[in-house]
Amino acid sequence: MNFGEFADTAAEIEELSADTEIAERVTTLFEQADSDLLVLARFVQGRVFPAWSSRTLDIGPNYCYEAIARAAGTNVSADDVEEKLAEVGDIGEVAASYDFGGQQGLGAFGGGSGAGGDLTVAEVADELDALADAEGSGSQDKKIDILFGLFNRADGDEARYLARLVLSEMRIGVGEGTVRDATAQAFDVPVESVERALQVSNDYGEVARVARDEGEDGLDSMDLELGRPVQAMLAQAGTVGDALDDWDGAAVEIKYDGARVQIHHDPAGLDWAASDETGANDSEPRETAVFSRNMEDVTDALPEVVEHVEQHLNAPAILDGEVVATDDGNPLPFQEVLRRFRRKHDVERAREEVELDLFAFDCLHADGRDLLRTPLPERHERLEDVLDAGVSELQISDDPEEIADIETQALESGHEGIMLKNPDSDYSPGRRGKNWLKRKPDVETLDLVVTGAEWGEGRRASFLGTFLLSARADDAGDEFETLGKVATGITDEKLADLTDLLEPHVRTEDGQQVEIAPEVVFEVGYEEIQESPTYSSGYALRFPRFVSVRDDKTPESADSLERVERLADEQ
Ligand code: AMP
């Protein structure tokens, strides 16, 4: 296909506003694409390389202006191009405004937009490939030369979309969903099959080609490839209540405060990316590749992760996990990890300054088997089978107190909190679904008066354990109404202190039950306030947890029932 035809289509699409019309136009483009389908599925989204690829053109805007200026003629400079851009705000518009070399003469015969242009889509793709390949000294000049050559052969609309493509500013309103729908429509395959194939491959061009040439069966047989990253599964904020209401127990893990990594490892060599002509620019197949959350190749910046994997992983695998910066085993803020990710030079020195630890928490592929559709606990077992160090612990629980204890421990060891995962869930690349929840920190706390307690059992028999909480029911602080009991978020050491603090205020005892004079105020977190007949206030706190003793507060200044009612209404 001529690049001019693509440019005409892009111009038409840009005029459309309805998603369905855009999808129809892309569908027609795909139907007519022939051998250019792979490239067109990317170009139409403004991508030069497949979504999984870390490759970039690596050409700064100034060099692009330089190439445009050269093609525009001797009396135009890169500064002129930049000035014009500042005026009109769109590099496409600027490029289209010049009369480039290839246009001269041909335009005089009244060819109109796109006519006379002999530049093909395949040529543009090849040239941009060569541009990305240029490395080392003199590479910028080479890149400018290549770009100049392309602009020199481009007419108005061709130049417009070429400039936008090169600077990643296509903006004609074609997103991933449009390309997915157009692929399904053009080649008459179910959109679900296209979606799944995209999830495992991250390659819109390849998926479109398979849909056309091999149909639904071809799409369904597309698998993960060692060496080709997929999008990470994402989490949304949620509560223990959300998890336990909807799932059969929750898989609880520490939420590490680091940076996401996806690790691909094959002792026989990851030749997939290297052997593909549009793949990463490696000559030697590597055993291990590490990708960031955005699927950028960060292998060279993280040698200790590579070493760890090569030492402890005993099968070809794709792992998902978090890399945390530590100092003597204590977690450091995640900015430290990001600095390591960005490091290009002196990696060895950086490594001495900030140590990185891997915590792998998922396994997408192990020893020849894709595991995306395997439930989480089984994936985790496979992870433990193949990796013998650096695996996060997964605990399945349906007990809110146990979950709160795991969270307290995680926070005390300096981690960010906990993740709650649905034990029944698949691994869904790129999805921010409800199957992974990062537990929301308690937003609002209440300062409540302790009006009762229970002696503990067993190891905790000499401590007051569960504390009855009340809100103030009048202004004077004479009357209190109960609204919950708190037993979680308290270490053994803290229980001893609280017992010492409360014992002097015990009024009566009945077996394990103790009535306590309203003297001590606790700050308490919770997930929700529910209406409930269980307590005298008519409300109950869902998943209350101890935060601190409010030494500075008396019962008269504790939170009132009125505030509890207001918070309950606002939820
Ligand atoms: P956020 O960045 O706040 O959206 O939280 C989600 C991120 O937490 C993920 O993308 C991971 O990088 C990170 N994370 C830390 N620990 C875990 C874990 N155990 N499971 C999943 N993600 C985790």
Side-chain angles (χ1 to χ4, degrees), residues 462-522:
S462 60
F463 299 142
L464 288 171
T466 305
F467 304 94
L468 183 66
L469 305 166
S470 294
R472 185 166 49 79
D474 65 348
D475 285 345
D478 292 332
E479 286 178 42
F480 296 90
E481 301 291 354
T482 58
L483 77 160
K485 288 178 183 168
V486 66
T488 49
I490 314 175
T491 58
D492 279 4
E493 200 185 327
K494 192 79 205 164
L495 274 187
D497 290 348
L498 293 179
T499 305
D500 288 347
L501 181 69
L502 287 161
E503 229 181 338
H505 305 299
V506 169
R507 274 183 178 157
T508 58
E509 292 195 38
D510 179 8
Q512 277 177 277
Q513 306 293 324
V514 178
E515 192 192 330
I516 294 179
E519 297 288 346
V520 176
V521 178
F522 280 6

Side-chain angles (χ1 to χ4, degrees), residues 235 253-256 260 293 322 361 419 421 432 436 438:
E253 262 176 358
I254 290 177
K255 183 171 193 290
Y256 301 99
R260 192 78 175 262
R293 180 190 174 126
E322 191 90 348
F361 49 70
M419 297 286 297
K421 300 181 179 177
R432 193 180 288 286
W436 283 16
K438 43 189 173 184

Side-chain angles (χ1 to χ4, degrees), residues 55 66 110 140 249 297 315 371 417 420 502 548:
R55 273 184 109 194
E66 175 75 36
Q140 288 302 343
D297 191 330
L371 301 170
L420 303 163
L502 287 161
S548 67

